[in-house]
Structure formats: C-alpha cells, structure tokens
Amino acid sequence: MSIKVFCDGLCNIKKRVGCYAFYVEIDNKIMYTKTGVVTHEMVTNNVCEYTAVLEAVKHCIEKKYDNVTFFADSNLVIQQLKGVYKTFDGKMTMFKNEISSLIKNRSFAFEWISRNENDLADKLCKGFYIRNMKRGKVDLNV
C-alpha cells in the first residue's frame, strides 16, 4: 500500500491570518482532505506550512498508517524535518521538535516537491482561504 500525503500552507501577514491543507492519497486515490485555520500568534508562511505537516502527521498516526511519505513545496520545512537544515527560529524549532517526537520509530519520510507538483494541496488551501477568511467568515483577531 502506497500512502502519500501532500501538504500546503499560506498566510496573509498583513491580516495576520493563515490556513493549511493536506490530502491523503492511498494507492493513487484521494482518501481524505483537511483544511484549517492557523491561529499561531506569530503567523508566517512557514508556520502555516509546518502546521499542515503537523496536522497531517497527527492524522496518519490516528489512522495507524505506516510507510507514509509527506510531500510539501516548502524546501525549508522539508530540509529542516530531514535534518539537512538547522532550525534557528523558535517557532520552527517548536514545530520540528513536535513532529520529530511524533514520528519517532515510525516509517515516515519527507520529500520536497515543486509548487506545480503540489497543485491540489495549493488549491485546497487557497480555496479554504477565499471561502472562509477573505470573506470574513473566520474571525482571527489574534
């Protein structure tokens, strides 16, 4: 069984709002999608990207999935999770440490993909943003 998870995040720094999306693909069929609001007090695009991966990891653990590959178009996030880049920012360190703790002794891998290859996760994220935040349906006054 091939399990792939595609993650994305976005934020509007001026409005201090963000969101994330991920979807789970099992044997090339989309089995689950999730979108959500990012409420971190210091929202950035990287916080939103990390939130997408964190929520996806939690979902896969809850479903007892094994041998999962997570894909994201944030090279920084992927390289930090793989241990190639160090984390110097406190927010990034917090996310990296939490994800690392959750995936310990699990067969989870992280791979960078281009924005074009992450098109569906990007569309899910942008669609959620447009439907809920841009239209004022979600109050994120932090």
Side-chain angles (χ1 to χ4, degrees):
M1 178 165 55
S2 170
I3 302 174
K4 298 176 183 177
V5 181
F6 296 82
C7 308
D8 202 16
L10 70 82
C11 77
N12 182 326
I13 294 174
K14 288 181 183 178
K15 293 186 178 187
R16 296 182 63 205
V17 298
C19 61
Y20 69 90
F22 71 87
Y23 69 93
V24 178
E25 188 178 277
I26 300 177
D27 295 330
N28 298 316
K29 294 180 183 175
I30 296 172
M31 305 301 284
Y32 182 79
T33 64
K34 183 175 181 183
T35 54
V37 175
V38 177
T39 59
H40 194 280
E41 65 274 4
M42 297 291 288
V43 69
T44 65
N45 197 62
N46 288 329
V47 166
C48 296
E49 296 277 355
Y50 257 117
T51 300
V53 175
L54 177 61
E55 292 299 318
V57 165
K58 288 178 180 178
H59 172 78
C60 290
I61 290 170
E62 180 182 305
K63 293 294 185 182
K64 299 183 180 358
Y65 294 152
D66 199 22
N67 296 315
V68 180
T69 304
F70 297 85
F71 296 92
D73 57 25
S74 170
N75 191 49
L76 177 70
V77 169
I78 294 299
Q79 298 307 327
Q80 286 177 340
L81 287 170
K82 291 172 89 168
V84 175
Y85 296 169
K86 292 183 179 183
T87 55
F88 297 103
D89 179 287
K91 296 181 301 290
M92 302 303 105
T93 301
M94 178 192 74
F95 279 106
K96 181 187 181 292
N97 290 346
E98 185 174 357
I99 292 168
S100 295
S101 175
L102 288 169
I103 67 168
K104 194 172 186 172
N105 301 319
R106 297 183 189 278
S107 297
F108 287 2
F110 301 94
E111 296 295 330
W112 176 83
I113 56 174
S114 71
R115 286 185 182 158
N116 288 341
E117 294 171 293
N118 206 26
D119 187 51
L120 180 55
D122 180 68
K123 286 179 180 175
L124 288 168
C125 206
K126 286 179 180 173
F128 179 83
Y129 178 81
I130 291 167
R131 282 188 314 276
N132 295 288
M133 290 188 245
K134 197 171 179 183
R135 293 183 182 161
K137 291 183 180 177
V138 178
D139 183 10
L140 292 177
N141 295 323
V142 180

